[in-house]
Amino acid sequence: MLLSPHTAAAALLTLTIALSACGQTPPAAAQTPDATTTAKAPDGKTIFDRLAASTDFDGDLAKLTDAERAALKPYTEVAQTGESEVPTINALVAGCWTATSSAWANNVLGKRLYTLYQRQNWCSNGSSLTSASTDRWYTVSWIGWRFVNWVERSSTGGRGHTYYRSVTQAHFALGSGGWDIQNHYPRIERTIYR
């Protein structure tokens, strides 16, 4: 029986996987691919670009092979997280101020996946706070990532006190179609003083 090059390559791959699962290596003839059976390794960046341009992201993601998913993984997962550096603020004079903090995650290319923001607004008469409020928001910048929900949005102190503490925590997930492969819970906590 004669096999097409595509069918032969699939059979070789199946044989290799089956044998490696048993701790064996394929015969020498199966280990030496020729031009008709050599499959080019999937390129994660090309797959990512194709998905980014897709009009049916969930459908196209579901069609990816295991090899394509493995190649895509480094482009979608968190490789680095961080927070903005906002100094402790102690307002000893009368006036109003604003301070914005952020927590974020990047992939291996240094591209931002998502950012969580918290902005504190307050006024002081110099001895205590006369008003205080917190704004919270987020941005999602990379395919596959989404905001799930707020985990914590709390504030203590504020008007009549000498401090105002705000905590913001959110849940972001990487996945599609109800199948999440990564979950992150960035948190911002900041206290300002009169």
Side-chain angles (χ1 to χ4, degrees), residues 53-192:
S54 173
T55 56
D56 180 19
F57 175 77
D58 288 342
D60 290 341
L61 184 63
K63 294 175 189 172
L64 293 180
T65 66
D66 289 343
E68 289 171 324
R69 285 180 187 270
L72 180 64
K73 191 175 180 181
Y75 294 91
T76 57
E77 289 189 329
V78 171
Q80 177 186 27
T81 60
E83 288 185 36
S84 61
E85 293 294 323
V86 177
T88 301
I89 298 167
N90 191 349
L92 297 175
V93 295
C96 294
W97 298 270
T98 296
T100 302
S101 305
S102 63
W104 47 265
N106 289 347
N107 69 6
V108 295
L109 300 175
K111 302 295 184 184
R112 188 66 40 101
L113 303 174
Y114 62 78
T115 308
L116 175 65
Y117 297 95
Q118 171 181 280
R119 180 175 51 224
Q120 291 172 287
N121 313 289
W122 74 98
C123 294
S124 170
N125 60 16
S127 59
S128 67
L129 298 174
T130 57
S131 68
S133 65
T134 302
D135 301 314
R136 298 165 172 95
W137 71 100
Y138 60 88
T139 58
V140 176
S141 311
W142 207 253
I143 65 166
W145 280 94
R146 72 182 189 289
F147 171 82
V148 178
N149 62 3
W150 295 107
V151 176
E152 182 178 357
R153 293 180 291 176
S154 65
S155 299
T156 56
R159 185 174 180 186
H161 293 85
T162 58
Y163 73 96
Y164 181 58
R165 177 180 172 265
S166 296
V167 177
T168 301
Q169 186 173 19
H171 175 192
F172 292 90
L174 169 65
S176 176
W179 180 61
D180 294 336
I181 58 173
Q182 226 181 36
N183 292 282
H184 279 254
Y185 301 87
R187 177 183 169 96
I188 301 170
E189 184 175 339
R190 171 86 46 220
T191 303
I192 55 96

